[in-house]
Amino acid sequence: MKIKITTLAITGLVLISCLESCKPKNTSNAVSGDAGAKAYVAPGKHDEYYNFVSGGFSGQMSVYGLPSGRLLRVIPVFAVDPEKGWGYSEETKAMLNTSHGFVPWDDLHHTQLSKTEGEIDGRWVFGNGNNTPRVARIDLSTFRTSEIIELPNSAGNHSSPFITENTEYVVAGTRFSVPSDNANGDVAINTYKQNFKGYLSFISVDKKDGKMDIAFQIECPGVNFDLSRAGKLKSHGWFFFSCYNTEQANTLLEVNASQRDKDFIMAVNWKKAEEYIKAGKGKKMPTKYAHNTYSDVTHSATSEIKTEVLVLDSKELADICYMIPCPKSPHGCDVDPTGEYIVGSGKLAAIIPVFSFDKIQSAIAAKSYDGDYQGIPVIKYEAALYGEVKKPGLGPLHTEFDGKGNAYTSFFVSSEVVKWNIKDLTVVDRAPTFYSVGHLCIPGGDTRTPSAKYLIAYNKITKDRYLPTGPELAQSAQLYDISGDKMQLILDFPTIGEPHYAQAAPAAIIEKGQIKIFKIADNKHPYVAKGEGESKVVREGKVVHVYMTSIRSHFAPDNIEGIKLGDEVYFHVTNLEQDWDVPHGFAIKSAINAELLIMPGETQTLKWIPDRVGIVPIYCTDFCSALHQEMQGYVRVSPANSSVPLSFSVGKNSSEVPASK
């Protein structure tokens, strides 16, 4: 009991002290006079980098330009978005399907750019759904979510989506260990140690089209997996995960999961796992999970429920996983550009441990173990350790690298970024953040060759940094110039949601593969109208299909009669434009879902069920021309037993009513 009280008291005093004096001492000279010039991007000029930022509890991903901090786009991923019709149009609803049904929200914590030979290739960016475990792939040719796969045997998909250096796999660990899907889940919560398991998911990615599939899972002891990183160069073929709650507590984790002086970094030999798969050592486990894909040819999504997954058991195959002690309650786990150094960041630790991949391999070869953890060998701390960074700060979380031999670690409690030398483990600089920094981003910071120009800090608290907006304040990112010996804060900019992690890439890499329009000739949507001559309205019982076109500045048809109460009406709207940046919107009065936003050459569908008799306007929601306001029409709704025939037209005015005398 004394240990529990002491741990809780110390943690509480540290946090109270931080909150009472949240401003770092040297705030007065944190920004120098040339800061604005370094972050300035003139009107009409483009930024150097795209910054892909997680939206946290918004469920979306945001894209900012750097160094300007300008918001360029919010990409709908796991949450419905009325601006773009995501999750509302008939084509996109299937993207939010899960084994639990339609789930229109999630908690997107981390982003990860695809790589080839350890370098960003500009093809895709991945994001995780932390709540209903999912991984999404966003196609950077369209900046749209192209695929979402649900993860079975998991809960709290925080430890993802981290990728190998050739995007062979997107890897995910579970935060909340739970009984496996095929087990009896109706067990007492306090049987955690006996019945709860943690699963690592290895999702394969097709090199040509990016299509994902769960290649295999590894069943591990019931711990909480946190951040992870793939090995690179010499450590390619390995993956490293931070683990906490090795006490396997199931209540009051702030105390009961902070008992041990050290938790673990788990080292996983995924190349060895592949060998076991080929040797038939995997076992097929029944389960249910959704796999959703979106096609830019049919402009539609499909959803498939899969029913099994291949599982390897870490207890039975003892040379896949190894535990490395790491102080204390680790969050970050980062691999330097050479692949030799693995940095652990214990939230409650007063040091930063740096492990050596070579020493880990030597320890495994010599079986330099300190027993095992539920069947997994525990490598001796000293046998794996390269060294420790002493007294770096309070609350280390996450480390990025600049490719010049330096590491940068965020410190949540002391609200600062600390720069230190990887070889001699000495602190060389520190800069305040505002406030309670979480993750960091250096463009290419997890690649073989990072860009040592900018660092972005993503903060949890803003307090006095922006105009106040009631009890909830803007989320914050801060941009630092790291091109010199000293870090220099040059810009604050607000972000959407809660920014957790982000990645950035040179604009030139992303821009080169982008699609500007969809060719109408290639549109394979089942309800496409490739010209006004193909527009029509078709009744199939109580279902009415409207094959509609949009072009500056009218719909065809724009007058529809003969719709009745009890009908289901589907507006299939094709944007006939073939010019870049000419989308059209479509909305109907009092629709209970959203608008459509249709790109050039694309077809999207809005389902509408009329709820009363009368005239209902339709209109374009996206300003498209000088006559945008004129881009409208009417739908006549008649009683269910009406004999009004179905008719439609465009450009045919009714006869004029004589003016009254």
Side-chain angles (χ1 to χ4, degrees):
M1 181 60 70
K2 289 182 180 179
I3 294 175
K4 293 181 180 180
I5 293 172
T6 302
T7 302
L8 184 59
I10 292 172
T11 304
L13 286 172
V14 169
L15 291 175
I16 290 168
S17 174
C18 170
L19 291 173
E20 287 180 347
S21 57
C22 205
K23 281 189 178 181
K25 293 179 180 178
N26 56 340
T27 57
S28 60
N29 57 8
V31 180
S32 60
D34 63 343
K38 289 186 175 183
Y40 179 69
V41 178
K45 299 296 183 181
H46 289 188
D47 281 283
E48 297 175 64
Y49 296 92
Y50 285 98
N51 187 206
F52 299 92
V53 184
S54 67
F57 42 68
S58 77
Q60 315 295 37
M61 188 182 297
S62 54
V63 186
Y64 295 84
L66 296 177
S68 73
R70 297 183 292 208
L71 176 63
L72 304 176
R73 182 170 178 81
V74 175
I75 302 173
V77 185
F78 297 114
V80 294
D81 184 347
E83 179 192 9
K84 302 173 184 69
W86 180 257
Y88 292 106
S89 72
E90 294 304 297
E91 288 80 5
T92 60
K93 286 179 180 176
M95 292 299 289
L96 301 180
N97 189 39
T98 74
S99 63
H100 304 277
F102 182 73
V103 179
W105 171 84
D106 218 305
D107 190 8
L108 199 161
H109 276 211
H110 304 122
T111 67
Q112 189 85 168
L113 288 157
S114 59
K115 299 181 182 67
T116 300
E117 295 184 355
E119 305 295 348
I120 295 167
D121 59 26
R123 301 180 71 189
W124 309 298
V125 60
F126 299 88
N128 67 324
N130 187 36
N131 183 268
T132 304
R134 291 174 277 184
V135 167
R137 176 175 60 86
I138 290 90
D139 188 336
L140 291 179
S141 69
T142 60
F143 278 55
R144 287 180 168 183
T145 302
S146 291
E147 191 172 13
I148 296 177
I149 193 165
E150 188 181 2
L151 300 181
N153 298 312
S154 299
N157 176 30
H158 181 73
S159 178
S160 73
F162 302 105
I163 68 172
T164 54
E165 66 173 356
N166 288 298
T167 320
E168 296 95 340
Y169 295 107
V170 175
V171 183
T174 187
R175 174 183 173 186
F176 307 114
S177 291
V178 290
S180 59
D181 288 355
N182 70 331
N184 175 20
D186 184 18
V187 296
I189 296 173
N190 64 11
T191 64
Y192 185 110
K193 292 184 179 181
Q194 294 76 38
N195 293 310
F196 291 42
K197 303 295 180 184
Y199 282 81
L200 307 178
S201 299
F202 283 74
I203 304 165
S204 62
V205 181
D206 187 275
K207 293 184 182 298
K208 292 182 179 179
D209 61 13
K211 187 174 181 180
M212 300 188 294
D213 193 17
I214 300 179
F216 61 91
Q217 292 185 316
I218 302 176
E219 182 181 291
C220 299
V223 297
N224 292 46
F225 290 101
D226 211 325
L227 301 184
S228 59
R229 277 286 190 255
K232 57 179 71 76
L233 293 172
K234 65 165 59 180
S235 55
H236 177 68
W238 288 76
F239 228 98
F240 303 93
F241 296 82
S242 60
C243 311
Y244 65 100
N245 192 25
T246 54
E247 297 87 348
Q248 296 187 305
N250 58 270
T251 183
L252 199 62
L253 265 63
E254 65 173 322
V255 173
N256 294 322
S258 302
Q259 299 298 302
R260 294 171 177 260
D261 289 334
K262 294 182 177 67
D263 288 284
F264 295 118
I265 297 291
M266 177 185 275
V268 179
N269 186 341
W270 59 263
K271 286 286 189 181
K272 178 64 70 174
E274 287 183 329
E275 292 177 14
Y276 281 126
I277 295 292
K278 290 179 181 178
K281 298 293 186 180
K283 298 177 182 178
K284 291 183 178 180
M285 178 186 293
T287 185
K288 283 178 63 178
Y289 63 97
H291 186 188
N292 312 324
T293 55
Y294 188 86
S295 167
D296 286 327
V297 177
T298 65
H299 302 287
S300 301
T302 57
S303 180
E304 176 187 5
I305 296 294
K306 297 192 172 183
T307 57
E308 66 179 19
V309 66
L310 196 63
V311 176
L312 298 172
D313 191 328
S314 62
K315 288 183 179 179
E316 295 179 3
L317 307 170
D319 54 353
I320 294 179
C321 299
Y322 300 88
M323 294 295 201
I324 305 166
C326 181
K328 178 178 182 184
S329 297
H331 182 65
C333 177
D334 300 283
V335 180
D336 90 305
T338 70
E340 166 63 12
Y341 302 107
I342 299 97
V343 179
S345 297
K347 299 188 295 291
L348 301 180
I351 52 94
I352 299 175
V354 181
F355 302 100
S356 160
F357 180 74
D358 287 343
K359 293 186 72 174
I360 291 169
Q361 298 308 298
S362 297
I364 291 171
K367 297 188 183 300
S368 182
Y369 301 145
D370 191 8
D372 68 85
Y373 182 82
Q374 297 191 7
I376 297 177
V378 177
I379 298 173
K380 290 181 179 179
Y381 180 68
E382 293 76 11
L385 187 70
Y386 172 73
E388 298 174 340
V389 183
K390 303 292 187 181
K391 297 181 179 179
L394 296 175
L397 289 184
H398 172 222
T399 300
E400 291 274 276
F401 305 93
D402 65 6
K404 299 191 298 184
N406 300 307
Y408 299 74
T409 300
S410 58
F411 287 82
F412 179 81
V413 177
S414 53
S415 289
E416 60 184 333
V417 178
V418 174
K419 176 182 178 181
W420 51 276
N421 183 276
I422 298 171
K423 287 294 178 67
D424 63 24
L425 306 179
T426 57
V427 172
V428 295
D429 190 25
R430 58 181 72 236
T433 61
F434 307 92
Y435 307 97
S436 299
V437 59
H439 287 279
L440 303 175
C441 169
I442 290 175
D446 67 335
T447 69
R448 296 179 185 177
T449 56
S451 169
K453 189 168 187 179
Y454 299 118
L455 177 144
I456 311 97
Y458 302 93
N459 304 324
K460 303 303 182 184
I461 298 172
T462 57
K463 287 187 178 291
D464 56 359
R465 300 301 289 181
Y466 307 112
L467 285 172
T469 53
E472 184 181 12
L473 302 180
Q475 309 292 322
S476 173
Q478 294 185 304
L479 181 69
Y480 295 80
D481 178 353
I482 59 169
S483 59
D485 292 335
K486 297 292 185 180
M487 294 177 279
Q488 180 191 16
L489 176 62
I490 60 175
L491 181 70
D492 278 13
F493 60 97
T495 69
I496 70 161
E498 183 189 0
H500 285 264
Y501 181 55
Q503 291 208 318
I509 294 175
I510 306 297
E511 284 180 306
K512 64 183 180 181
Q514 287 187 32
I515 292 172
K516 294 186 175 180
I517 63 169
F518 299 107
K519 294 180 181 178
I520 292 177
D522 297 337
N523 186 327
K524 305 297 183 185
H525 192 286
Y527 294 98
V528 64
K530 295 186 178 182
E532 285 192 15
E534 296 181 15
S535 64
K536 58 186 176 181
V537 182
V538 177
R539 177 178 287 280
E540 297 173 357
K542 290 185 176 296
V543 175
V544 178
H545 293 282
V546 181
Y547 294 70
M548 180 176 281
T549 63
S550 62
I551 197 166
R552 288 167 285 185
S553 295
H554 65 273
F555 295 109
D558 63 4
N559 281 196
I560 303 171
E561 300 192 25
I563 303 299
K564 302 175 183 180
L565 287 180
D567 285 345
E568 285 186 4
V569 184
Y570 293 86
F571 293 95
H572 310 288
V573 186
T574 301
N575 183 348
L576 296 180
E577 307 284 356
Q578 291 290 267
D579 289 337
W580 189 26
D581 195 26
V582 189
H584 285 296
F586 175 82
I588 186 165
K589 178 189 174 185
S590 302
I592 62 172
N593 38 26
E595 64 156 6
L596 297 177
L597 192 59
I598 315 113
M599 297 301 113
E602 183 181 42
T603 302
Q604 290 288 286
T605 302
L606 187 69
K607 179 182 178 180
W608 175 61
I609 300 176
D611 67 345
R612 66 194 65 183
V613 171
I615 300 297
V616 185
I618 59 175
Y619 68 103
C620 177
T621 54
D622 192 289
F623 203 100
C624 55
S625 73
L627 296 178
H628 164 73
Q629 288 293 96
E630 284 76 8
M631 193 167 176
Q632 65 175 61
Y634 294 101
V635 178
R636 176 184 173 187
V637 180
S638 300
N641 59 356
S642 170
S643 59
V644 175
L646 187 67
S647 64
F648 56 93
S649 64
V650 60
K652 293 183 180 180
N653 262 330
S654 59
S655 59
E656 292 184 3
V657 179
S660 60
K661 295 182 180 180

